[in-house]
Amino acid sequence: MLKEIKMNEIENVKIGHAQDPEGATGCTVILCEKGAPTGVDVRGGGPASRESALLNPTAANDGVHAVVLSGGSAFGLDAAGGVMRYLAERHIGFPVGDLVVPIVCQSCIFDLQLQANVHPDQEMAYEACRNAEKNCPAQGNVGAGTGATVGKLLGGAGMMKSGLGIYAVSLGELKMGAVVSVNALGDIYDFQTNEKLAGLLDPETGAFLDSEEMMYQMQEELSMQPHANTTIGAVITNGRFTKTQLTKIASMAHNGYARSIRPVHTTADGDTIYAMSVGDVEADLNVAGTLAARVIAEAVKQAVLAAEPAYGLKTAREMKQR
């Protein structure tokens, strides 16, 4: 039977956040000190990423030691250096003679519309690693979700505050969890009830607008839309899978985005999902991929429901109370 569990019930992985609430940005670090075979699937047209080529099934790499999810757009990619320093100090990494080289992948959201001059750096990422030692990650306006927003078809007018969501389940011995920073161009729906939770608001009335319908109406103006969005996340399982299989799981996990975000995977988004194996439980690939889509959809839901009002933006919980 499918059972909801806490993310820290998945062994061999630790998650930590660090953020600058005033600067409206932050980072989330997923540490796998024993190394984790990892695949990735990038669907959006505007990703900011680091070391993603290593995750190609034809590349020699067979495990990463950390995945970083952060704000800051391309500026934020510098944060991975702090994670490398943290791991190298503990002699964790790929051995090269007397040295070790930690393998750290990273993806960033675009949160610069809230504070263009602040972005995650190496010190913030190092702090996130230290916080991961407690392995009790929060949700909402933390880490990579600090500056996350949704409903941005009209730019900053009418967008809402989003955040970072976490969700995990077990199916017998198989465990699957997801960590997602939701910073989407589109609207967010409850994938089970089809209720709209967050998204584009009418700047005058504060009522929901339909981003998909607005997109059709604005087709001649859409070429002007900036690449200022991205939903990034990772699914983590104790199932034993190869990098090639994990690439397929990451691909199937994107179905969770599609169930929850409309529109999704546009050229104005950089939508990315990592899939990481941290255990040795025998599991069916199709079951794992289907389960990955479910936990991603749940984590997207949690990301908007856990968000708190900030930067003058409304939240899903406020809209539900209207």
Side-chain angles (χ1 to χ4, degrees):
M1 294 293 292
L2 203 61
K3 177 184 176 183
E4 182 178 346
I5 62 173
K6 294 182 178 180
M7 181 62 81
N8 58 16
E9 293 182 53
I10 301 178
E11 300 84 359
N12 301 322
V13 62
K14 297 177 181 178
I15 300 171
H17 308 303
Q19 54 277 324
D20 178 353
E22 184 176 341
T25 196
C27 65
T28 296
V29 175
I30 303 168
L31 296 178
C32 305
E33 297 179 358
K34 295 182 179 180
T38 300
V40 69
D41 190 341
V42 181
R43 296 282 181 92
S49 59
R50 179 185 188 275
E51 296 280 41
S52 55
L54 284 178
L55 305 185
N56 188 306
T58 63
N61 173 265
D62 58 2
V64 308
H65 303 101
V67 168
V68 183
L69 308 175
S70 84
S73 188
F75 291 111
L77 291 171
D78 184 52
V83 182
M84 291 191 69
R85 174 160 57 91
Y86 175 89
L87 292 170
E89 288 174 354
R90 290 153 181 79
H91 207 70
I92 296 167
F94 182 79
V96 183
D98 294 332
L99 303 175
V100 294
V101 180
I103 306 302
V104 180
C105 297
Q106 182 176 358
S107 288
C108 306
I109 66 168
F110 186 101
D111 53 8
L112 303 181
Q113 70 268 43
L114 296 177
Q115 175 54 270
N117 297 319
V118 180
H119 47 80
D121 57 14
Q122 293 190 17
E123 293 307 315
M124 180 183 287
Y126 191 93
E127 180 186 353
C129 291
R130 293 292 303 270
N131 290 334
E133 296 170 4
K134 306 170 188 175
N135 201 23
C136 295
Q139 301 185 85
N141 300 16
V142 295
T146 303
T149 52
V150 296
K152 291 174 280 187
L153 195 65
L154 299 179
M159 69 182 182
M160 290 180 60
K161 184 71 184 76
S162 180
L164 181 132
I166 296 175
Y167 190 80
V169 297
S170 63
L171 182 64
E173 293 184 359
L174 179 65
K175 298 175 183 178
M176 182 78 69
V179 182
V180 182
S181 174
V182 181
N183 190 60
L185 173 75
D187 303 329
I188 311 302
Y189 291 79
D190 185 320
F191 77 104
Q192 292 173 308
T193 67
N194 204 39
E195 175 190 5
K196 183 181 288 189
L197 301 175
L200 180 62
L201 300 178
D202 186 315
E204 295 183 1
T205 68
F208 276 130
L209 294 174
D210 188 311
S211 288
E212 186 173 347
E213 292 300 322
M214 288 289 294
M215 176 178 283
Y216 300 148
Q217 296 174 28
M218 297 170 58
Q219 60 172 321
E220 295 182 357
E221 305 171 43
L222 289 179
S223 61
M224 300 172 61
Q225 288 297 315
H227 301 280
N229 318 279
T230 291
T231 299
I232 55 175
V235 290
I236 306 157
T237 181
N238 67 348
R240 182 170 61 194
F241 296 104
T242 66
K243 180 166 62 170
T244 299
Q245 291 173 318
L246 288 161
T247 302
K248 177 61 176 176
I249 290 172
S251 176
M252 294 179 71
H254 271 281
N255 293 330
Y257 283 176
R259 293 173 189 172
S260 305
I261 306 170
R262 305 173 200 166
V264 70
H265 300 146
T266 74
T267 57
D269 292 281
D271 301 333
T272 300
I273 296 179
Y274 297 88
M276 312 174 72
S277 171
V278 296
D280 294 311
V281 173
E282 293 291 339
D284 179 81
L285 175 62
N286 294 311
V287 170
T290 301
L291 196 56
R294 184 183 183 101
V295 295
I296 282 285
E298 287 280 8
V300 170
K301 176 180 174 181
Q302 293 302 317
V304 295
L305 291 179
E308 298 177 359
Y311 320 116
L313 302 176
K314 293 183 179 179
T315 66
R317 282 187 289 182
E318 288 179 303
M319 295 300 290
K320 288 175 75 73
Q321 294 170 0
R322 290 183 60 169

